[in-house]
Amino acid sequence: MTEITVIRDVETIVAYDPDGDRQVYLHGGDVAFDETGLICVGTRFEGQATTELSGKARMVMPGLIDIHCHSHDEPMAKSIFEDVGTAALWGQAMYEYSGVIDGGEDARAACLTVMLGDLMRSGATTILDIAGANDIWLDIAAQSGARAYLAPGFRQADWVVSDSHRLDFEWNDKAGRDAFARALDFAERARAHPSGRLDGVISPSQVETCRPDLLVDAAEEARNRSMLITVHTAQTMAEHEELLRRTGLTGVQYLEQLGVLGPDVILGHCIFADHHSWTRQRTRNDLVTLADRGTTVAHCPVTFARSGMALETLGAYRRAGVNVAIGTDSYPFNMLEEMRQALICSRLGGKSVFDINTADIFDAATLAGAKALGRDDIGRLSVGAKADLLVIDLDAPTMRPVYDPLRSLLHCAAERAVERVYVDGRLTVNQGKPTQLDYDGAVREMQALQDWACSRAGTYDPRGRNIDELAPKSLPVLER
Ligand SMILES: [Zn+2]
């Protein structure tokens, strides 16, 4: 007999209204599901259930879709480089600093475990992770219980900032081609995984670190396999300037010229398009092109806002008809906090409370994410959809008082009110703790890994600076 869970008399259900293709509130009624999907949403469930739970003071809502994150070394980079940047590269820290913290292969499992745990605790049930291909990736992603799109990155050039002001590219075309071949193989293995919850994504890492022929070949191979394509594009001003120098085009124009754009493409970040005030372009075509092609933008506001950069604006992209989904990029891997920041950054950039509203952000993290993945069975609660859902405790102090539960959740409570998370009807987070992962163990392991990586940072820095010089502490240490 299949295991059926029913949540009775739910105070608030966030349900999908197919007539309006929109999310709506329902008050009262049951939510029932098994491993194959949702059986009942908002009506009375008359069948036999193996598990029966009360929906009193609970909100049941669809699981969230994180369209862009990085496991690899990112989770262990926390609290090191938040206050640095390369002034001549528009303040961006990534080129000069991200390569000096290298946890090695031993760090992969802990980093992935912490990232998945943090994302699921904050309501993400589907994630798209871009990282280096690694055997344990499939195992841990499957074990976590999450629905995971794994995107092994490949590229032909490494970034080098040897003098803290000039970005150079060290090309190795053959190594990039070899990594592409391995990525295709890995993506096929992800798709074939017996869990049925994994898939592969074809991911040239950055638009400026791959030759044009590799970008074209990657898109063709992805389309032959009916796989998605994701590539960082228009993510920094340094990249924008480099592409202008090489081609005279913005990142969006360049990919359009190569024939890469389409509804199966997710562009990482896509901030510095031709309308952005920093790029000072004389055209206003990029958002029109993205909307025409049905290409998705993966919007990850937190890591960029930390460096003083913002998309202009999420509300404007949506009004232009661009499908924008939400990603978390790097730590803190908190999906609900990311959504809050997306809303705040959009209103700050648009200088208006009317630039975007709570429902728009919720749509971006659910229906728009599903659209990006080409799916109509996730990001929504409706009979027949996957049983990927969250149970929110309306009695959590951070939620009360509740007039509008999604507003309490997004503007105040975030993961502190996430009580249970289900993916494919299986409980993956209970009382805020991942059930399938050794999350606490991985968090403990992370400290030793970070200490070790910090002690070796100087060996990866072209200028040989040690970690104290690279990342001075936020307060001076008083010697006593
Ligand atoms: Zn990224």
Side-chain angles (χ1 to χ4, degrees):
M1 189 184 129
T2 67
E3 303 260 325
I4 294 177
T5 301
V6 61
I7 309 173
R8 292 280 185 204
D9 304 318
V10 181
E11 183 164 320
T12 301
I13 302 169
V14 180
Y16 178 66
D17 166 28
D19 296 334
D21 186 25
R22 59 183 180 164
Q23 310 277 17
V24 294
Y25 282 138
L26 294 178
H27 294 297
D30 302 340
V31 174
F33 52 87
D34 64 14
E35 63 188 22
T36 65
L38 288 151
I39 303 165
C40 166
V41 178
T43 53
R44 173 79 188 167
F45 177 67
E46 303 290 356
Q48 287 284 323
T50 17
T51 305
E52 186 154 332
L53 302 164
S54 168
K56 185 167 181 292
R58 296 295 181 272
M59 172 167 69
V60 177
M61 60 181 274
L64 306 169
I65 297 169
D66 182 342
I67 206 68
H68 184 113
C69 60
H70 300 285
S71 51
H72 208 68
D73 283 330
E74 295 292 329
M76 63 187 287
K78 188 192 286 182
S79 86
I80 301 174
F81 293 130
E82 286 83 351
D83 292 329
V84 300
T86 303
L89 299 176
W90 299 80
Q92 177 60 249
M94 175 176 69
Y95 299 106
E96 188 172 2
Y97 296 93
S98 65
V100 302
I101 295 297
D102 184 344
E105 292 303 305
D106 291 348
R108 300 288 174 259
C111 285
L112 181 56
T113 301
V114 169
M115 183 195 80
L116 287 166
D118 285 338
L119 287 177
M120 290 196 295
R121 289 188 321 120
S122 61
T125 50
T126 297
I127 61 131
L128 194 161
D129 182 17
I130 306 162
N134 188 299
D135 279 345
I136 52 121
W137 207 8
L138 290 173
D139 300 338
I140 295 176
Q143 180 196 337
S144 74
R147 198 175 298 289
Y149 287 75
L150 305 182
F154 52 90
R155 63 184 189 176
Q156 291 167 301
D158 283 333
W159 299 314
V160 183
V161 182
S162 50
D163 47 13
S164 291
H165 77 269
R166 195 184 67 248
L167 176 62
D168 291 319
F169 296 81
E170 262 182 18
W171 291 90
N172 187 333
D173 289 22
K174 180 169 182 320
R177 281 277 168 184
D178 291 347
F180 173 42
R182 289 195 301 275
L184 290 173
D185 176 63
F186 184 92
E188 293 284 1
R189 285 166 56 207
R191 173 163 284 185
H193 194 275
S195 69
R197 286 189 310 278
L198 306 186
D199 203 353
V201 175
I202 306 306
S203 181
S205 296
Q206 295 91 16
V207 67
E208 85 285 12
T209 58
C210 296
R211 304 282 191 197
D213 58 300
L214 182 59
L215 293 168
V216 169
D217 290 353
E220 187 183 330
E221 287 288 350
R223 284 167 184 153
N224 288 342
R225 292 165 160 79
S226 299
M227 283 180 176
L228 298 163
I229 304 145
T230 191
V231 52
H232 289 92
T233 302
Q235 69 165 333
T236 69
M237 277 301 292
E239 173 224 298
H240 169 73
E241 290 175 328
E242 177 67 18
L243 282 183
L244 275 188
R245 193 179 64 77
R246 284 189 211 163
T247 69
L249 302 171
T250 65
V252 171
Q253 292 158 7
Y254 176 53
L255 290 179
E256 169 72 348
Q257 190 181 72
L258 292 177
V260 168
L261 297 182
D264 50 359
V265 176
I266 301 164
L267 298 184
H269 314 312
C270 206
I271 296 166
F272 298 104
D274 66 356
H275 71 286
H276 195 282
S277 57
W278 289 16
T279 66
R280 297 189 302 253
Q281 295 301 289
R282 295 296 177 265
T283 57
R284 293 291 180 271
N285 298 329
D286 287 357
L287 294 187
V288 176
T289 301
L290 292 173
D292 284 351
R293 294 284 169 246
T295 295
T296 291
V297 168
H299 176 43
C300 312
V302 169
T303 49
F304 291 91
R306 272 204 299 255
S307 297
M309 298 163 198
L311 191 97
E312 293 178 348
T313 63
L314 176 49
Y317 279 48
R318 285 174 61 90
R319 286 189 291 279
V322 180
N323 190 54
V324 184
I326 305 290
T328 52
D329 206 34
S330 183
Y331 64 84
F333 298 109
N334 188 317
M335 190 64 191
L336 286 162
E337 295 278 12
E338 195 82 30
M339 291 162 70
R340 184 210 317 242
Q341 296 289 341
L343 185 143
I344 291 171
C345 288
S346 192
R347 286 182 178 173
L348 275 175
K351 296 184 171 58
S352 169
V353 67
F354 306 116
D355 195 66
I356 198 147
N357 61 37
T358 303
D360 295 328
I361 294 291
F362 184 64
D363 178 84
T366 53
L367 297 179
K371 187 176 180 188
L373 298 171
R375 300 183 69 136
D376 61 5
D377 61 346
I378 57 174
R380 73 204 68 199
L381 299 187
S382 59
V383 172
K386 297 289 186 191
D388 294 5
L389 53 99
L390 317 179
V391 180
I392 305 299
D393 179 5
L394 298 176
D395 275 339
T398 44
M399 286 293 289
R400 292 287 179 193
V402 177
Y403 170 75
D404 180 308
L406 277 177
R407 287 197 198 127
S408 276
L409 182 69
L410 288 180
H411 292 270
C412 299
E415 87 288 358
R416 295 178 287 276
V418 177
E419 184 180 66
R420 293 195 297 273
V421 177
Y422 294 87
V423 182
D424 268 346
R426 285 177 67 208
L427 187 66
T428 57
V429 171
N430 191 20
Q431 303 299 330
K433 288 278 187 187
T435 59
Q436 311 295 315
L437 296 168
D438 180 14
Y439 174 78
D440 292 340
V443 169
R444 283 193 298 273
E445 197 180 333
M446 198 73 86
Q447 186 63 63
L449 289 165
Q450 190 190 66
D451 292 348
W452 182 76
C454 282
S455 73
R456 299 165 71 236
T459 61
Y460 295 108
D461 179 41
R463 293 173 53 196
R465 291 165 291 182
N466 64 30
I467 194 66
D468 299 325
E469 296 166 294
L470 284 161
K473 295 266 170 69
S474 54
L475 299 178
V477 179
L478 193 61
E479 301 293 345
R480 308 184 338 138

